[in-house]
Amino acid sequence: MMRSAVSAALIGAAVGAALAGGVLLAQAQSAKTATVSAAVSAAVSIDNFTFNPPTLTVKAGTTVTWTNKDDIPHGIAATGNAFSRSPALDTDNAYSFTFTTPGSYQYFCYLHPHMTGTIVVEAATGSNATP
Amino acid sequence: MSEFDRDDGVSRRKVLACMTWVGTGVLWTVSGGVPRSLGIIDEAVAADVNGLTFLQISDSHVGFDKPANPNALGTLEECVNRIKALPRRPAFMIHTGDISHLSKPSEFDDAERIIAQTRLDVHYVPGEHDFLDPDLKLYKERYGAGIKGAGWYSFDADGVHFIGLVNVVDLKAGGLGNLGAEQLEWLEADVKTRTASTPIVVFAHIPLWTVYPDWGWGTEDGAQALSYLKKFGSVTVLNGHIHQVMQKVEGNVTFHTARSTAFPQPAPGQAPSPGPMKVPDDQLRKMLGIADVTFKQNEQRLAIVDTPLQG
């Protein structure tokens, strides 16, 4: 249990470092990717210990960014480690992850696990479809 | 009050209603599971010079700088000054977690520098805020001597058996605090050979009893842990995490949560979320503080004095 948490946190830290310049950097990367896969971005706000929207449906290739608007840190972890865990997000910190594989991803706050949310990733269609 | 005491009838309600921030603190004592009137207890404790006395502090959140308390290190230092000024020096101190706010080395350093001024031995258990560094190693590096697993251990003092548990690791979606199978097994073995007359003190960060599940204030497998303690005549469970004083008595088990030294949180269900509660500046120090616990030998009796920073 500890070992998987550590590796996930390390990945999270790397993503966090990439975010040092703020969300703009993540969006810049999304925009760059968009030229080849029409990737878009979507946002989840963390407010009053709630993920908003609690369920977010996106197309494969979408970069989802969580931003913590609370006065207390939160952290994003996927059930079954289905996607990389975020570092601890202090107030106004953000974390982004690009979902490429369709599916339903349940996640929770690893500091306050009563906080839960879902990202539903649908297959991209037409010329934008991911292989 | 709210649902945590709904099954306890009028008397507890009345006692809880008396639990206001007055004088030098609020005094709790329990004899045979019944909370007694405050005045009598006050005298009883004042007269007691032979019991084991130790302190509990909790939820220092060193590094927190938001409006609810822009200087959490400062209020920790005020608590430490209170401790240094106590007329009777306690045997030791326990800290029930969330030492740091974001598990930064500087936060642990600052906490250590201030808490060391008490010149007391401190027994720690971690809060979820102490396991936020990328490698999850800083807490164990600093407080890990003699601990097992993620940080559980036990020790004895003056005939009382103390058990520090960790319920902030490997939390599951939608769930409460979690002890886990390995720790429960260790606990069962740890208490098995002890006699039923041994007073037991269990301390952990998140309440082991269900205070308010909607906010995650409880421990998923807490009831199983407590089932191993059924044979003991005196069990005291000390927790933090919820940044306010709450008490509940069930048979021979007394549950108690301590104030934070950093910022208050709302009573269950009294706010949209359990986030830091901003109160007027002149009220803050009435909602932060320390707890002082005394055992009188041979009396199965315990007294907890919750002392706010400011009366």
Side-chain angles (χ1 to χ4, degrees), chain B residues 11-24:
Chain B
S11 60
R12 172 103 13 84
R13 223 169 279 273
K14 197 173 169 189
V15 172
L16 284 166
C18 295
M19 208 169 64
T20 51
W21 328 118
V22 292
T24 55

Side-chain angles (χ1 to χ4, degrees), chain A residues 15-79:
Chain A
V15 177
L19 277 171
V23 182
L24 281 177
L25 178 55
Q27 285 172 341
Q29 287 170 336
S30 302
K32 193 177 168 188
T33 320
T35 57
V36 289
S37 66
V40 290
S41 54
V44 177
S45 163
I46 309 173
D47 253 316
N48 264 330
F49 288 64
T50 308
F51 295 111
N52 190 23
T55 299
L56 176 67
T57 303
V58 299
K59 298 289 186 195
T62 301
T63 298
V64 176
T65 299
W66 289 263
T67 305
N68 179 15
K69 308 306 281 180
D70 274 346
D71 271 357
I72 204 83
H74 294 294
I76 313 296
T79 303

Side-chain angles (χ1 to χ4, degrees), chain A residues 81-108:
Chain A
N81 290 319
F83 62 87
S84 304
R85 176 180 153 121
S86 81
L89 305 176
D90 201 359
T91 307
D92 292 330
N93 284 3
Y95 170 70
S96 297
F97 184 84
T98 302
F99 290 87
T100 54
T101 310
S104 181
Y105 298 86
Q106 260 123 45
Y107 66 91
F108 62 102

